[in-house]
Amino acid sequence: MQLAPMQAALTAAYVFHTLFAGLWVGAVVLTAWKVLPLAKDGDVTPELLGGVAAGVSLITRIGAVVFVATGGHMAATVYGAEGLFAPPRGHVVLTMLTLWLVMTGLVEVGGSKIRSALDEGKVRTAARDAGTFYNAAAVVGFVLLVLGGYLAA
Ligand code: HEM
């Protein structure tokens, strides 16, 4: 491959990776910080809570494809197999990969708790059951962005 198309693909990978990082963590933090506490107080309709949870799940699932594709491309191009196991930056990338898995799991479990409680029409229960998972996911997301900032510097 020529250098210019390779460089363009790498730039696109960085752009989409950073874009989804902000979008995903932002959506999860706002849900954990504002939407779920309001829902716990019964100030949110089932439709709104269901819509927010569905939106966060959608971003998580599209994000899974985007993170694996772009992160994998960046890791292969910039680090290679050896670089990934070299401290400190390689280890930070591997930690990022692990935390992405953890955060995805937390959001998926939180989303399924919301869906099953909403099936019975229980908004407060949905928010209570999912709260811990979304809070933990928001903290993991924060750590992921800190690691991203470290790698970007
Ligand atoms: C499959 C999971 C992931 C893999 C394999 C991965 C891999 C990578 C790699 C290889 C880099 C480039 C490092 C460098 O330039 O030295 C990077 C940068 C970055 N990653 Fe990830 N990543 C993943 C998931 C995530 C997630 C879930 C977030 C945040 C929600 C995130 C946020 C960032 C940020 C903000 C950067 C810095 C971009 C820049 O240099 O401008 N990554 N990641």
Side-chain angles (χ1 to χ4, degrees):
M1 227 203 281
Q2 283 178 317
L3 201 58
M6 272 176 72
Q7 187 56 48
L10 188 60
T11 303
Y14 272 90
V15 169
F16 281 106
H17 200 82
T18 314
L19 206 74
F20 261 81
L23 186 65
W24 190 35
V25 177
V28 170
V29 166
L30 199 67
T31 305
W33 178 40
K34 287 289 166 190
V35 179
L36 292 182
L38 282 171
K40 264 183 214 166
D41 293 339
D43 290 339
V44 160
T45 62
E47 289 75 19
L48 194 146
L49 184 59
V52 168
V56 173
S57 279
L58 183 66
I59 296 174
T60 304
R61 285 166 195 180
I62 297 175
V65 178
V66 172
F67 286 126
V68 170
T70 59
H73 181 65
M74 288 145 73
T77 312
V78 180
Y79 290 78
E82 272 176 31
L84 270 185
F85 292 97
R89 296 180 67 90
H91 289 180
V92 171
V93 172
L94 292 178
T95 307
M96 184 173 263
L97 172 65
T98 310
L99 291 182
W100 160 73
L101 267 175
V102 172
M103 184 169 164
T104 298
L106 289 167
V107 173
E108 287 293 344
V109 174
S112 83
K113 299 257 176 213
I114 289 181
R115 279 190 295 278
S116 42
L118 285 185
D119 283 345
E120 296 166 23
K122 295 181 171 167
V123 175
R124 288 196 183 98
T125 309
R128 251 197 321 271
D129 290 354
T132 312
F133 294 98
Y134 274 87
N135 286 340
V139 172
V140 175
F142 179 79
V143 175
L144 270 164
L145 287 185
V146 170
L147 295 181
Y150 171 84
L151 289 176

